Amino acid sequence: MDKLLSLLGLARRAGKIEPGFDAAVSAARGHKAALLLAARDISEKTLKNLRYEGDRAGVPTLRGDFGMEELGRACGIDVGTAAAALLAKEKPLPTE
């Protein structure tokens, strides 16, 4: 999972990460998320809620082998986070 955390760091530098449970859910609901990530040490209820929101939006949810502190650091924040959203690539505007 170190590779996944490294990739999250790249996504963060590209501005393609929304850290935090509420931000991840909002990104999924807004059809902006490509993947929802959950830390291994969150409660089953929190994971169930995140998966529910992901399923409703058609976004896969992955429970990583990293804790909340590690996920927070990979997202560039100073506190742990239960979840994060990897944002989808934006569709280019049609040209005429």
Side-chain angles (χ1 to χ4, degrees):
M1 282 297 165
D2 288 334
K3 288 184 181 183
L4 180 57
L5 292 176
S6 295
L7 290 173
L8 285 177
L10 288 173
R12 175 182 51 86
R13 289 187 287 282
K16 296 295 182 182
I17 288 284
E18 285 290 337
F21 180 86
D22 291 339
V25 167
S26 179
R29 287 178 181 170
H31 302 286
K32 296 178 182 175
L35 177 68
L36 298 178
L37 295 166
R40 74 170 175 264
D41 51 352
I42 63 171
S43 72
E44 289 300 319
K45 182 179 178 185
T46 302
L47 179 62
K48 182 180 175 182
N49 290 340
L50 188 65
R51 283 192 173 141
Y52 172 79
E53 294 294 344
D55 289 346
R56 280 188 62 195
V59 177
T61 303
L62 173 69
R63 187 177 206 170
D65 190 29
F66 41 79
M68 290 190 291
E69 293 297 323
E70 293 169 294
L71 182 56
R73 277 194 304 272
C75 292
I77 58 176
D78 294 332
V79 295
T81 184
L86 181 63
L87 301 180
K89 181 178 175 186
E90 295 177 19
K91 294 179 183 177
L93 295 174
T95 58
E96 295 187 54

